[in-house]
Amino acid sequence: MRARISGTGSCIPLHRLDNEAISRMVDTSDAWIRERTGIESRHVICEESTVSMAAEAAERALQNAGMDPEEIDMILVSTISSEVILPCTACEVQRRIGAVNAAGFDINAACAGFLVAYQTAEMYIASGMYRNILVIGSEGLSHLVNWKDRGTCILFGDGAGAAVVTSQSGERLEGACHSDGKKGTALTCRTRYNEDEMPDDRCYMQMDGQAVFRFAVKKVPEVIEEVLEKNHLSKDEIDWFILHQANGRILESVARRLEVGIEKFPMNLQEYGNTSSASVPILLDEMNRKGCLKPGQNIVMAAFGAGLTWGASIIQWQ
Ligand code: UT7
């Protein structure tokens, strides 16, 4: 069996924080942020939560797929930023949307989490165990960001995206994902501190931005080449490259290295910043709702993040 995406949805918090607002908090400027990242604004949660955004994105994806919640067999939520550790976000989404027949669990592979969750769904479908799986990426990163650290607070934003992944007959498309724990210190965030220590900055995200940048521009083109080869597809046969929205310069560098026109790399990081594992499904949903995705088109999804972790998958739009 093969997986296909039969519906998408997303949820963006109402509160928009532009670069001018950030430059009143830390020593930065709109010009620096635009030039070094391409980001103009990000949205942050106020009334919303990681769980509420996940549930809302899921409901929209179900509506888009024309499916009832009872038809869902499994819910997979990728998140690093849920306000609640127990119960897991997937079970809370199940309760909120009434997906009474679904099993569910959360996945933490940082910004690559949606890709890993999608590939997990593909495996359940390929085995014949489940037919309809909701795959969600939801992040409330504004709680993990140190708003005094200009190296990180300019980058991240909140939001959620979801896809209904459904089985259909046909050969499975091969994905790829990798991890390199030896480089894990490049992007860290602690949830607990030693009793003897005072809470400190390590409870917020800490990042060696240049190290992550160098890793992304090398590994993302490599893993894309890897999945193309595995599926016997050439770059020319790919219509869209839907990549993790971390930094416009990373996307430009990946396009250059692959020798593919940048117009095949849609971007929405200008508006939302880096929403970690929500960025790929939010962009997918935007593209879907704008009518940019046509039946039969081949789409590469690729992402990278803390771990370090990276991966790519190919989907054929229906
Ligand atoms: O989802 C995956 C997570 N992370 C990423 O994908 C992040 C990947 N990395 C990046 O996007 C970039 O490395 C950043 C946007 C984080 C930083 O951009 P950069 O071009 O690598 O800047 P840099 O760290 O090399 O700093 C260049 C200069 C430094 O000043 P000096 O030493 O040249 O005087 C920094 O102190 O820019 C300074 N700087 C800033 N200036 C104004 C660093 N951050 C800022 C800032 N505003 N926000």
Side-chain angles (χ1 to χ4, degrees), residues 204-254:
Y204 296 116
M205 275 197 272
Q206 297 210 307
M207 182 174 72
D208 178 345
Q210 285 191 11
V212 178
F213 195 104
R214 282 194 302 273
F215 141 74
V217 298
K218 182 168 186 297
K219 294 298 184 186
V220 174
E222 274 179 22
V223 76
I224 290 175
E225 299 270 18
E226 182 185 342
V227 292
L228 289 174
E229 204 179 304
K230 276 183 170 178
N231 293 287
H232 313 291
L233 285 164
S234 75
K235 285 178 273 193
D236 299 340
E237 291 173 278
I238 303 301
D239 297 285
W240 300 107
F241 293 80
I242 298 194
L243 265 52
H244 171 43
Q245 302 287 293
N247 184 323
R249 287 191 297 133
I250 293 178
L251 298 181
E252 283 159 12
S253 172
V254 171

Side-chain angles (χ1 to χ4, degrees), residues 28 32 36-37 111 150 207 209-210 212 244 246-247 249 274:
T28 190
W32 193 95
R36 305 307 290 170
T37 69
C111 303
R150 68 178 184 174
M207 182 174 72
Q210 285 191 11
V212 178
H244 171 43
N247 184 323
R249 287 191 297 133
N274 174 346

